[in-house]
Amino acid sequence: MIRVAIIGCGIIGASIAFELSQFPELKVTVFDKQPPAQGSTGAALGVLMGVISHKTKGRNWQLRQTSLQRYETLIPELEAVTGRKIPFNKQGILMLCSEGEDLIKWENLIATRRSQGWQLELWDVERVRDRCPHLSLNDRIIAAIYSPQDRQVDPRALTLALVDAAERNGAIFEFGVPVEAAEMAASLKFDRLIVAAGLGSAAVTASLNQLVDIRPVLGQALHLRSTKPLGNPDFRPVITCDDVHIVPLGNQEFWVGATVEFSENGGEIQANADMLAQVMARARSLCPALAEAEIIKKWSGLRPRPEGRPAPIIETLPGNDRVLIASGHYRNGVLLAPATARSIREMILQ
């Protein structure tokens, strides 16, 4: 039996735990100083931008494709095993294109996706108005890209279901454990150590004498409740434009986000209220009815971004083949979680 320790129980650590727990030859223990689904996972919007991404080849596309395919079976599988309901929007993503957007680039992507077995559609403004009457399409909006096979999932509900299912398969979860204690336990008792601690991964790897440089990028978002139903009740995709997402949740509620805020001097990042106000203003310009919506909650979170290299980091720690890194997913942790888990499983079982 191979004893595996996982440090971190956000969406990445929980996905890896569930994946590995399905193999009897692996004994899985997960450590985290917090309860599951905290940190960047608890702050994420769960928008899965895979097909609509301009990544078309190499590792970045393969991870996206693998995850999108797995989500179609993973969500019903988890719901059946755990009895939990995981909000999963299968109505796609509608991206509004502003004036100056290169539509030829999108036509080329549509052709590429068709050759890869995926679907994208270029809509004119009239079709957008017909399908989404709640949107205000000013003269700057020239078209839209509809991606029916992209998805949105509730990251917290998904993570809790993954933990539940992994426990049912025999995985052990130890919460409230400081990282230092987890490192010591892992070094003494386990054959493999998987570092999936998001921003905490840098400290863990530094203690193992090999720093993996991962730095924070702050994001802010809002939870709104509309006073009345918006749009077409039979067509509720995620709406995105200029990197602002309007995520329908049902019951006339929406998530709106998110900002992208960097540290100016390498120190702590303070949430900028003006940047959140700008995001909300852009959302209201797209959907004027949101101006009357009640703000239920505002929140922020820190995304783990690798310094000087592409995200994510999925590899063996240099100089120590017992330690695997699965971290630094930046803005795509929820999207890439299933593929990351599969990659780690292959690395261990090979």
Side-chain angles (χ1 to χ4, degrees):
M1 180 171 288
I2 301 173
R3 298 162 301 173
V4 180
I6 302 170
I7 298 181
C9 196
I11 185 64
I12 300 299
S15 295
I16 294 169
F18 174 64
E19 180 75 22
L20 299 185
S21 73
Q22 298 174 81
F23 294 84
E25 64 268 37
L26 302 178
K27 182 64 175 177
V28 179
T29 304
V30 182
F31 299 95
D32 202 311
K33 64 182 179 180
Q34 304 180 93
Q38 305 297 306
S40 58
T41 297
L45 301 181
V47 180
L48 311 181
M49 301 182 75
V51 180
I52 208 168
S53 162
H54 282 279
K55 306 294 185 182
T56 60
K57 58 185 179 180
R59 185 188 77 146
N60 270 317
W61 166 241
Q62 286 305 319
L63 288 172
R64 283 169 166 78
Q65 178 171 244
T66 297
S67 278
L68 286 175
Q69 291 169 336
R70 176 59 175 135
Y71 266 122
E72 296 304 301
T73 58
L74 177 63
I75 300 298
E77 179 182 329
L78 290 172
E79 290 184 331
V81 167
T82 67
R84 292 173 175 267
K85 177 62 179 174
I86 304 170
F88 188 47
N89 187 339
K90 300 180 71 171
Q91 298 197 41
I93 296 174
L94 184 67
M95 178 179 289
L96 305 181
C97 299
S98 300
E99 192 175 37
E101 186 81 28
D102 184 357
L103 296 184
I104 294 177
K105 177 183 69 173
W106 284 109
E107 290 172 351
N108 291 337
L109 181 63
I110 289 169
T112 298
R113 291 293 185 239
R114 187 181 304 117
S115 71
Q116 295 171 330
W118 296 90
Q119 184 180 355
L120 278 179
E121 301 172 10
L122 177 61
W123 288 10
D124 61 24
V125 171
E126 288 308 311
R127 187 171 185 187
V128 178
R129 285 197 178 102
D130 178 64
R131 299 300 304 277
C132 302
H134 60 300
L135 297 181
S136 174
L137 305 180
N138 58 37
D139 293 341
R140 290 188 60 250
I141 304 300
I142 59 172
I145 307 299
Y146 178 51
S147 181
Q149 293 165 297
D150 280 330
R151 302 287 185 250
Q152 185 272 333
V153 65
D154 184 314
R156 182 171 175 79
L158 172 59
T159 302
L160 295 176
L162 287 163
V163 170
D164 190 345
E167 282 187 314
R168 292 166 188 262
N169 289 340
I172 298 169
F173 290 82
E174 298 192 13
F175 299 112
V177 179
V179 168
E180 297 79 8
E183 292 168 19
M184 183 172 293
S187 65
L188 293 175
K189 298 192 300 182
F190 294 91
D191 303 302
R192 295 287 188 276
L193 171 61
I194 301 166
V195 181
L199 285 169
S201 301
V204 176
T205 57
S207 71
L208 299 170
N209 300 314
Q210 184 71 52
L211 175 64
V212 175
D213 194 355
I214 298 175
R215 302 187 187 182
V217 179
L218 188 139
Q220 300 182 72
L222 306 100
H223 185 171
L224 308 177
R225 181 186 294 119
S226 173
T227 57
K228 56 186 177 182
L230 302 182
N232 181 352
D234 298 321
F235 184 60
R236 309 280 289 173
V238 172
I239 305 295
T240 184
C241 182
D242 297 330
D243 213 23
V244 172
H245 305 311
I246 302 174
V247 180
L249 304 176
N251 299 319
Q252 298 171 206
E253 296 182 16
F254 300 84
W255 285 337
V256 172
T259 64
V260 180
E261 303 174 48
F262 296 88
S263 170
E264 293 184 1
N265 53 17
E268 186 175 341
I269 310 173
Q270 298 293 332
N272 186 325
D274 290 341
M275 293 186 70
L276 183 60
Q278 291 169 18
V279 166
M280 191 61 215
R282 292 204 296 273
R284 286 169 174 161
S285 71
L286 295 172
C287 182
L290 291 180
E292 301 174 10
E294 173 193 2
I295 298 176
I296 298 174
K297 179 184 176 184
K298 297 180 182 179
W299 74 91
S300 66
L302 296 173
R303 313 173 182 99
R305 180 176 180 267
E307 181 67 17
R309 59 181 297 181
I313 302 171
I314 307 171
E315 64 187 26
T316 302
L317 186 70
N320 191 339
D321 60 8
R322 292 178 59 244
V323 181
L324 307 177
I325 309 298
S327 192
H329 288 72
Y330 190 26
R331 303 180 73 183
N332 289 306
V334 182
L335 169 61
L336 301 181
T340 299
R342 182 169 295 182
S343 296
I344 292 294
R345 180 251 294 168
E346 291 171 352
M347 293 166 70
I348 290 176
L349 293 182
Q350 283 176 355

